[in-house]
Amino acid sequence: AQKVTQAQTEISVVEKEDVTLDCVYETRDTTYYLFWYKQPPSGELVFLIRRNSFDEQNEISGRYSWNFQKSTSSFNFTITASQVVDSAVYFCALSEPVVDKYIFGTGTRLKVLA
Amino acid sequence: EPEVTQTPSHQVTQMGQEVILRCVPISNHLYFYWYRQILGQKVEFLVSFYNNEISEKSEIFDDQFSVERPDGSNFTLKIRSTKLEDSAMYFCASSEALPEQYFGPGTRLTVT
């Protein structure tokens, strides 16, 4: 069965600290897609990244980086030098080609304190 | 850049009333979705729609819910008789090709 686990419910850091948000997924498919979304207090879902299961290369985009490890079924997200504007809820999600829906994790609320 | 739009941004309704949430997907997209997020909880899939019919629905999507594409541009979610527990943020999404889905900004539904 498909499942996404975000064990960290809430994380608080002080500005400029690095922070890693964990995501562990379960799937029986060999082809699947993983996503990260940011949900600021205004409520919309902001797309951050998509990875497919065949591309294990880690990715960096500015202060954001993602570590995809198939061996541990994890797709972790690191924010370097966090800023107050990074405060939001972050969701990890999974999709499989034959199952036409996204499965979201429960989200991690990140609070960055000035 | 094309985007998914949803109206209204916030809807308040009384328990037992019918409500219709509206979405305008991106124009060349063929796959349409509704998701629900109860306050403080995760985003949950409700239904997917393709070729004018439901392709998949979750157990949440019971007989009180229906979807429709009444014309070439709108995609609606109707809740026939709202309950307090229907209070949530409802997200519409559309897709040209799997697996990419583009989410709208959401409609916050409050049932009193």
Side-chain angles (χ1 to χ4, degrees):
Chain A
Q2 300 169 299
K3 189 177 178 184
V4 176
T5 301
Q6 295 181 256
Q8 304 151 309
T9 306
E10 185 169 312
I11 300 175
S12 291
V13 298
V14 176
E15 210 170 13
K16 296 183 185 169
E17 282 186 10
D18 298 348
V19 58
T20 295
L21 309 183
D22 297 334
C23 173
V24 174
Y25 61 92
E26 291 177 34
T27 176
R28 285 179 290 200
D29 233 320
T30 55
T31 301
Y32 52 90
Y33 304 90
L34 296 164
F35 306 82
W36 275 96
Y37 284 84
K38 175 182 180 180
Q39 186 174 46
S42 49
E44 73 272 23
L45 292 170
V46 179
F47 170 79
L48 296 178
I49 190 171
R50 181 190 90 188
R51 303 301 283 175
N52 73 53
S53 53
F54 299 112
D55 183 2
E56 285 195 73
Q57 205 167 17
N58 292 329
E59 182 153 337
I60 298 175
S61 176
R63 297 184 297 108
Y64 295 171
S65 62
W66 290 269
N67 183 271
F68 179 24
Q69 298 268 356
K70 281 178 82 168
S71 59
T72 55
S73 297
S74 65
F75 185 43
N76 296 338
F77 172 32
T78 297
I79 302 175
T80 303
S82 59
Q83 300 175 0
V84 172
V85 292
D86 295 327
S87 297
V89 181
Y90 290 86
F91 289 98
C92 181
L94 166 72
S95 170
E96 295 169 355
V98 294
V99 182
D100 190 17
K101 62 187 176 187
Y102 285 10
I103 302 296
F104 284 83
T106 50
T108 297
R109 180 177 298 278
L110 174 64
K111 292 185 178 178
V112 182
L113 309 171
Chain B
E1 187 177 322
E3 57 184 22
V4 177
T5 59
Q6 291 186 242
T7 54
S9 56
H10 190 191
Q11 172 95 46
V12 181
T13 190
Q14 288 192 325
M15 199 166 50
Q17 295 294 306
E18 175 183 285
V19 67
I20 297 175
L21 309 183
R22 302 181 191 280
C23 168
V24 178
I26 295 173
S27 63
N28 61 331
H29 285 189
L30 301 175
Y31 302 85
F32 313 109
Y33 311 84
W34 284 101
Y35 291 81
R36 180 183 83 173
Q37 184 185 28
I38 294 171
L39 186 64
Q41 298 187 22
K42 66 179 178 181
V43 179
E44 299 175 290
F45 169 79
L46 287 178
V47 66
S48 57
F49 190 86
Y50 170 72
N51 201 24
N52 274 323
E53 60 183 31
I54 291 173
S55 45
E56 188 175 349
K57 60 183 181 179
S58 72
E59 61 276 6
I60 302 169
F61 194 88
D62 61 23
D63 293 343
Q64 292 295 318
F65 291 90
S66 62
V67 289
E68 195 178 28
R69 189 152 161 83
D71 52 44
S73 59
N74 289 284
F75 180 51
T76 61
L77 174 69
K78 183 194 291 186
I79 308 175
R80 197 177 352 266
S81 176
T82 49
K83 308 183 190 95
L84 293 177
E85 53 265 38
D86 293 327
S87 295
M89 180 78 99
Y90 289 81
F91 291 102
C92 173
S94 71
S95 173
E96 181 182 19
L98 303 178
E100 207 76 61
Q101 294 183 22
Y102 294 81
F103 285 85
T107 292
R108 186 170 299 282
L109 176 66
T110 302
V111 182
T112 61

